[in-house]
Every structure is written in C-alpha cells, then in structure tokens.
Amino acid sequence: MRNRSEPSVDTGGPRGAEGEVEGDADVVRFAFDGRALAARRGQSIAGALWGHGIVAWRTTRGGGRPRGAFCGMGACFDCLVVVNGVPGQRACLVRVSEGDAVTSQEGHGHGALGS
C-alpha cells in the first residue's frame, strides 16, 4: 500500500476500490518529458506511454512530423526516445525501469551534431 504522503502516480491501469493501482508492488515510476508516470514492471516504454494515452513521442528529421510506435517489434525505428540521456532507444524494445528519465526525441536525437 502506498504511503498517503507520496504523490499519486497514474499507471493508466485498473483501479481498486480506493482508487489505488492494483498490484502496487509491480509498479515502476519513471518520468516522460518531465511528467511523473508509472508502468507495470517489465512493460516496454511504448506500452507504458500508450497506457497513458501518449501515442507520439518523436519527430522526424525532415519536417518534424510526429511519430510513435509503428511495428512494435524493433524493425522500423519510428518509436525512438531518449532514455537517461541516451538517444535512439527503441521504445517498443526497452523495458521501463524505476527512475528512468524518458524524453521525446527530435530528429536523430543528437542536437549538437546538426541535421
């Protein structure tokens, strides 16, 4: 059971009678673009973001068009995110971990390198 002084973090999952996330022990907390979120332990970053209604988290190099998960199996590279400062991580393959800092990726993710 969560300490009532801790902020509530939404996993996008099922709720118990008191509004708590069922199976709280299996919840990991992470941040996405500075927003506190939670996911089920073992869930991919893409799955966790989908669970919160977030379907686009990257923009293309040419044109800045929004992208999210497309193939869901790591073949297409549409779901790239920055995880703990490392760009180019496929959200459909990387499992979310406690304390991860996940951010949207713009273009190739290496802003200092240019286009």
Side-chain angles (χ1 to χ4, degrees):
M1 180 177 252
R2 180 175 43 83
N3 179 333
R4 295 290 177 201
S5 64
E6 293 177 16
S8 176
V9 181
D10 185 11
T11 64
R15 301 278 177 257
E18 295 181 12
E20 288 195 4
V21 176
E22 293 179 9
D24 233 8
D26 292 326
V27 172
V28 294
R29 287 159 173 52
F30 71 106
F32 175 69
D33 286 344
R35 179 177 161 196
L37 300 176
R40 301 283 179 214
R41 188 171 309 282
Q43 192 171 29
S44 71
I45 291 172
L49 294 176
W50 278 340
H52 289 283
I54 301 167
V55 296
W57 49 81
R58 159 179 111 76
T59 58
T60 59
R61 287 180 298 201
R65 292 178 299 275
R67 294 289 187 263
F70 179 71
C71 73
M73 61 184 197
C76 74
F77 294 89
D78 261 1
C79 64
L80 298 178
V81 290
V82 179
V83 181
N84 300 322
V86 180
Q89 303 299 301
R90 289 176 274 183
C92 67
L93 296 180
V94 177
R95 296 188 190 278
V96 67
S97 295
E98 184 69 35
D100 275 350
V102 180
T103 57
S104 297
Q105 180 166 312
E106 295 183 25
H108 50 60
H110 297 280
L113 297 177
S115 296

